[in-house]
């Protein structure tokens, strides 16, 4: 985990409470609220502890409304915590806003940071001036970004004429333009097609390889597998998992699935007796079998052997555990506690 | 230190320039807005002239001096629209969470806000207002000396600053109200229109309010009073101090408000 590198982001007991008005519906409700306002407090982020090391790529995952964006805004210094502390590269992001701003980059996939009526180039030039990036560095970075993001074609286009995918690529360039050491990405692939997602992922992988610390939220778990090594899952404002992505799979996504086509109907009972730890089910037809097994209890070859002893296997397909399965089970509330993390993980 | 100030000023011009470029795409808008501004200011002037055709003095003030007060407010509004129009976008930005990106850039949030729009109507106000001031100064019964000229510039500049600071402070109310429109600032802007005429025509309570709580009287009446050596001449000399105080208060209110900013759900 982060033990190898010094921490750059450190949050302790981070909490953000939003106060929302309780209004009965309709005009009378609004009037009553004016006379005697009532509010409900709700913790969108609840006692979150986070330590992220320099150069780490962290995926921040959770269901809608879990508190991901709110956490990002707290870390970026946009919101002030209701309680708890944040330090990012040695500064309090809200109190030392200007210092913090120079070392971070932020992208909200839902909202563009480009000037609506300016060309992409003009927007980037304004940002260049704001951050004091030298002209040579500016050109170098744009050239570098161009390879993956295909910026060249976008530069002369006015932001309001960009498609969503084009807009996101231009926004990514804007986020990384000043070479920030730490970058927060809130749903950087939202609404993109497969090709656009691929280029965003490749771009982010490159940035991570170049040493940028990244914290990224996404509902597309492919993004996470492609870019991140560490997974943090938040649910209802609380962190319920924090650990290595591979380890999460080992711990929670142990079930492999073997789909087999056979040339003759099989005796399920006998098969089940031979594979006591596995689940053996009939597939869509009598010629199909589905075997679900724990990859630590059985090896795939073992399962195949047991099958071939009975029938001729025509074809088979092995499905590896997916990170989706882990997250889905977490969302369903099936995995609430994580097993203790090894010290030297 | 001065380097930092220079950078801040240079970037302000840069940000405003970007808006100018953006707005240049809508040329028709540009002309219509200038025309509308000249028209609305002109209507006020016509009213003023019609009024003075009936009465020689308004609370002891002659036409050209009242015209001067009137024009000072026009100029202040023109400068506000032309260079600081973004102030009026605060309500919408707070309401929709658009302030997020401003908060992660290495430049003061209030300045990013104020430079986030250009109001071309300001150009109309500025040109018309300046012309009126020049004409009024020529005809008004004023004693001139180089020192007097210098003080005029100082007071006029301070008057504009009072107006701009009031704009920022009243718009900052949106941090508390969180509605889509700057209702408080609009209302206060209307109150500020009272300052186009001599303060003495209003009841004493209103005079006190316009001098202290919302010191719009310092945007026109008091400075002119000093120049014309009127009843409130000495108070007029306080205009620069009031301007400084207004700026500090506006910044303070804005900062307090910013701490309440909650972004938006999505
Ligand atoms: N500005 C706000 N004012 C009031 N409540 C808010 C605000 N922002 C977020 N919330 C609430 O806080 C909770 C967490 O919201 P947040 O936007 O952090 O979720 P999220 O994990 O990013 O969800 P999504 O995947 O839908 O983007 C939600 O219940 C939301 O309604
Ligand atoms: Mg979100």
């Amino acid at each position: 985990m982060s033990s190898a590198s010094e921490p750059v982001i450190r949050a302790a007991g981070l909490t953000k409470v939003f106060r929302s008005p309780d209004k009965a519906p309709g005009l009378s409700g609004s009037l009553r609220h004016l006379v005697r306002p009532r509010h409900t407090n709700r913790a969108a982020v609840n006692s979150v502890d986070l330590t992220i090391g320099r150069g780490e790529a962290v995926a921040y995952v959770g269901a809608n409304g879990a508190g991901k964006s709110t956490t990002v805004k707290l870390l970026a210094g946009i919101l002030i915590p209701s309680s708890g502390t944040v330090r990012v590269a040695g500064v309090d992001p809200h109190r030392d806003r200007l210092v913090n701003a120079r070392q971070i980059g932020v992208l909200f996939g839902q909202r563009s940071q480009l000037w609506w009526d300016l060309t992409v180039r003009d927007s980037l030039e304004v940002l260049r001036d704001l951050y004091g990036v030298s002209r040579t560095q500016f050109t170098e970075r744009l050239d570098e970004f161009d390879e993956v993001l295909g910026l060249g074609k976008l530069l002369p286009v006015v932001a309001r004429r960009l498609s969503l995918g084009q807009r996101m690529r231009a926004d990514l360039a804007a986020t990384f333009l000043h070479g920030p050491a730490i970058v927060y990405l809130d749903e950087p692939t939202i609404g993109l097609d497969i090709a656009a997602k691929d280029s965003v992922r490749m771009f982010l992988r490159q940035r991570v390889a170049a040493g940028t610390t990244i914290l990224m939220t996404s509902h597309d778990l492919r993004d996470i597998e492609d870019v991140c090594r560490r997974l943090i899952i938040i649910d209802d404002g609380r962190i319920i998992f924090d650990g290595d992505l591979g380890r999460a799979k080992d711990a929670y996504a142990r079930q492999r699935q073997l789909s087999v086509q056979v040339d003759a109907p099989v005796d399920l009972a006998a098969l089940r007796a031979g594979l006591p730890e596995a689940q053996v089910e009939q597939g869509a037809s009598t010629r199909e079998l589905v075997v679900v097994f724990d990859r630590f209890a059985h090896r795939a070859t073992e399962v195949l052997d047991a099958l071939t002893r009975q029938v001729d296997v025509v074809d088979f397909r092995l499905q590896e555990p997916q990170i989706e399965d882990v997250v889905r089970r977490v969302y369903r509330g099936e995995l609430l506690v994580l097993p203790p993390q090894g010290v030297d993980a | 230190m001065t380097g930092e100030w220079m950078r801040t000023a240079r970037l302000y011009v840069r940000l405003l320039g970007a808006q100018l470029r953006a707005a240049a795409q809508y040329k028709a808008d540009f002309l219509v807005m200038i025309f509308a501004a000249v028209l609305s200011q002109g209507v006020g002037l016509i009213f003023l002239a019609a009024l003075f055709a009936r009465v020689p003095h308004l609370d002891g003030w002659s036409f050209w001096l009242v015209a001067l007060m009137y024009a000072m407010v026009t100029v202040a509004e023109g400068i506000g629209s032309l260079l600081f129009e973004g102030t009026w976008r605060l309500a919408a930005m707070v309401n929709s969470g658009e302030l997020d990106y401003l908060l992660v850039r290495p430049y003061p949030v209030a300045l990013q806000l104020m430079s986030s729009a250009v109001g071309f109507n300001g150009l109309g106000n500025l040109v018309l207002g300046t012309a009126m001031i020049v004409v009024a100064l020529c005809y008004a019964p004023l004693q001139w000396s180089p020192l007097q000229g210098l003080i005029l510039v100082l007071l006029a500049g301070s008057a504009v600053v009072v107006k701009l600071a009031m704009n920022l402070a009243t718009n900052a109310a949106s941090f508390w109200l969180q509605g889509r429109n700057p209702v408080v600032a609009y209302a206060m802007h209307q109150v500020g229109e009272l300052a186009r005429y001599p303060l003495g025509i209003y009841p004493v309570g209103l005079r006190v309010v316009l001098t202290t709580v919302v010191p719009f009287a310092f945007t026109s009446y008091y400075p002119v009073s000093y120049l014309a050596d009127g009843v409130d001449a000495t108070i007029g000399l306080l205009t620069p101090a009031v301007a400084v105080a207004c700026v500090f208060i506006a910044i303070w209110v804005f900062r307090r408000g910013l701490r309440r900013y909650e972004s938006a759900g999505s």
Side-chain angles (χ1 to χ4, degrees):
Chain A
M1 234 175 76
S2 58
S3 50
S5 54
E6 62 183 301
V8 281
I9 301 175
R10 212 195 266 273
L14 194 59
T15 301
K16 182 67 188 180
V17 175
F18 287 116
R19 210 168 83 118
S20 52
D22 283 342
K23 265 192 238 177
L27 183 62
S28 68
S30 296
L31 288 178
R32 220 174 309 149
H33 182 77
L34 268 181
V35 180
R36 189 190 294 167
R38 278 167 201 262
H39 297 272
T40 329
N41 289 336
R42 198 171 164 285
V45 171
N46 201 342
S47 318
V48 160
D49 296 320
L50 265 182
T51 307
I52 294 172
R54 189 171 296 282
E56 269 197 286
V58 178
Y60 200 56
V61 174
N64 288 136
K68 302 179 296 294
S69 301
T70 306
T71 312
V72 167
K73 287 170 192 169
L74 287 166
L75 295 179
I78 292 168
L79 296 176
I80 302 185
S82 305
S83 64
T85 56
V86 201
R87 303 288 288 179
V88 175
V91 302
D92 176 329
H94 198 273
R95 197 157 307 139
D96 306 315
R97 202 185 66 72
L98 294 176
V99 180
N100 180 59
R102 291 194 173 278
Q103 52 198 22
I104 66 163
V106 183
L107 181 134
F108 294 106
Q110 316 254 23
R111 182 173 289 153
S112 181
Q113 61 193 307
L114 304 169
W115 277 255
W116 183 244
D117 283 315
L118 289 188
T119 63
V120 173
R121 174 175 281 289
D122 280 345
S123 279
L124 294 177
E125 289 274 5
V126 175
L127 289 171
R128 182 184 85 78
D129 284 339
L130 270 183
Y131 287 95
V133 176
S134 73
R135 171 129 334 254
T136 42
Q137 203 154 42
F138 179 73
T139 324
E140 259 172 43
R141 290 219 173 105
L142 285 198
D143 285 348
E144 193 185 336
F145 297 171
D146 179 45
E147 280 169 32
V148 184
L149 296 177
L151 269 189
K153 283 191 284 290
L154 306 181
L155 289 177
V157 183
V158 175
R160 86 185 123 80
R161 293 191 212 279
L162 294 173
S163 77
L164 186 58
Q166 293 170 332
R167 200 270 284 159
M168 200 70 84
R169 283 183 279 151
D171 256 306
L172 270 173
T175 298
F176 283 89
L177 188 71
H178 54 290
I182 301 151
V183 174
Y184 309 107
L185 301 144
D186 192 6
E187 306 198 31
T189 59
I190 188 167
L192 302 194
D193 69 23
I194 297 165
K197 275 186 180 174
D198 276 343
S199 65
V200 168
R201 288 169 187 155
M202 195 194 293
F203 178 74
L204 293 178
R205 274 205 305 276
Q206 280 183 359
R207 297 295 101 207
V208 173
T212 312
T213 308
I214 281 182
L215 179 109
M216 150 171 152
T217 83
S218 179
H219 290 294
D220 185 334
L221 299 162
R222 277 286 312 276
D223 293 349
I224 285 153
E225 289 194 288
D226 270 17
V227 180
C228 302
R229 298 268 298 116
R230 178 172 160 197
L231 174 69
I232 297 178
I233 303 180
I234 180 172
D235 182 47
D236 201 15
R238 290 177 185 277
I239 288 185
I240 54 171
F241 179 89
D242 181 352
D244 191 76
L245 202 59
R247 220 174 78 70
K249 279 205 243 175
D250 288 352
Y252 296 132
R254 303 165 66 122
Q255 309 285 54
R256 287 172 130 180
Q257 182 177 315
L258 188 67
S259 309
V260 189
Q261 275 188 23
V262 290
D263 63 348
V266 260
D267 176 4
L268 281 180
L271 249 184
R272 283 180 182 140
L275 292 167
E277 306 266 340
Q279 265 175 278
V280 184
E281 302 294 341
Q282 191 83 62
S285 76
T286 51
R287 303 274 160 99
E288 277 177 47
L289 287 175
V290 176
V291 185
V292 177
F293 60 100
D294 185 322
R295 64 198 172 110
F296 292 106
H298 292 294
R299 270 179 294 162
T301 47
E302 243 177 275
V303 179
L304 267 181
D305 276 349
L307 286 171
T308 43
R309 242 173 276 137
Q310 270 206 28
V311 287
D312 276 338
V313 171
V314 179
D315 196 6
F316 70 91
R317 192 163 57 91
L318 184 64
Q319 237 175 304
E320 287 299 333
Q322 299 285 313
I323 188 67
E324 266 96 342
D325 300 331
V326 181
V327 175
R328 196 172 292 125
R329 290 174 64 192
V330 169
Y331 287 2
R332 282 204 301 255
E334 288 174 28
L335 309 171
L336 281 178
V337 203
L338 57 153
Q341 174 96 46
V343 189
D344 57 351
Chain B
M1 197 60 199
T2 44
E4 189 55 32
W5 280 94
M6 287 293 290
R7 170 184 173 269
T8 306
R10 190 172 50 79
L11 286 177
Y12 194 91
V13 174
R14 181 73 177 88
L15 288 170
L16 209 61
Q19 292 303 332
L20 208 65
R21 252 178 126 146
Q25 301 201 0
Y26 307 100
K27 289 199 187 63
D29 257 28
F30 174 83
L31 294 173
V32 170
M33 281 175 83
I34 291 181
F35 176 72
V38 171
L39 191 68
S40 72
Q41 297 296 329
V43 165
L45 260 180
I46 290 167
F47 170 75
L48 208 60
L51 185 70
F52 274 92
R54 300 287 171 118
V55 293
H57 296 283
L58 194 58
D59 190 42
W61 294 85
S62 67
F63 173 72
W64 289 113
L65 287 175
V66 177
L68 190 57
M69 291 177 204
Y70 190 95
M72 279 181 74
V73 176
T74 303
V75 167
E77 280 178 10
I79 292 175
S81 308
L82 201 60
L83 305 180
F84 305 95
E85 179 73 6
T87 316
W88 294 91
R89 296 186 60 216
L90 183 64
M93 291 180 92
V94 167
N95 181 270
S96 64
E98 271 173 85
L99 228 48
D100 288 6
Y101 278 120
L102 308 200
L103 277 156
V104 296
R105 288 182 187 144
Y107 192 69
V109 177
L111 295 181
Q112 287 185 68
L113 169 77
M114 292 194 283
S115 62
S116 70
V118 177
F120 287 117
N121 49 330
L123 204 57
N125 287 354
L126 192 58
V127 172
L128 189 70
T130 311
M132 275 164 63
I133 288 181
V134 171
V135 175
L137 285 178
C138 291
Y139 286 95
L142 296 173
Q143 312 269 286
W144 284 109
S145 71
L147 180 67
Q148 199 74 346
L150 211 67
I151 293 178
L152 167 70
V153 171
L154 180 68
L155 294 190
S158 303
V160 172
V161 171
V162 170
K163 180 86 180 166
L164 297 176
M166 290 302 291
N167 273 353
L168 183 61
T170 53
N171 270 287
S174 299
F175 280 120
W176 282 266
L177 298 174
Q178 301 182 347
R180 271 213 74 75
N181 296 305
V183 281
V184 170
Y186 281 148
M188 286 305 132
H189 179 80
Q190 290 307 318
V191 172
E193 295 296 291
L194 295 176
R196 288 179 185 262
Y197 308 99
L199 199 60
I201 65 172
Y202 303 117
V204 67
L206 191 53
R207 270 185 258 168
V208 172
V209 169
L210 287 173
T211 306
T212 55
V213 187
V214 280
F216 286 114
F218 286 94
T219 61
S220 56
Y221 169 72
Y222 285 123
V224 172
S225 203
Y226 172 80
L227 289 176
D229 206 11
V231 272
D232 291 315
T234 34
I235 302 184
L237 217 47
L238 290 176
T239 310
V242 172
V244 171
C246 284
V247 167
F248 275 102
I249 290 171
I251 292 174
W252 182 78
V253 172
F254 189 87
R255 289 210 173 133
R256 286 303 295 261
L258 200 55
R259 294 184 63 83
R260 297 180 54 92
Y261 176 64
E262 291 201 322
S263 183
S266 63

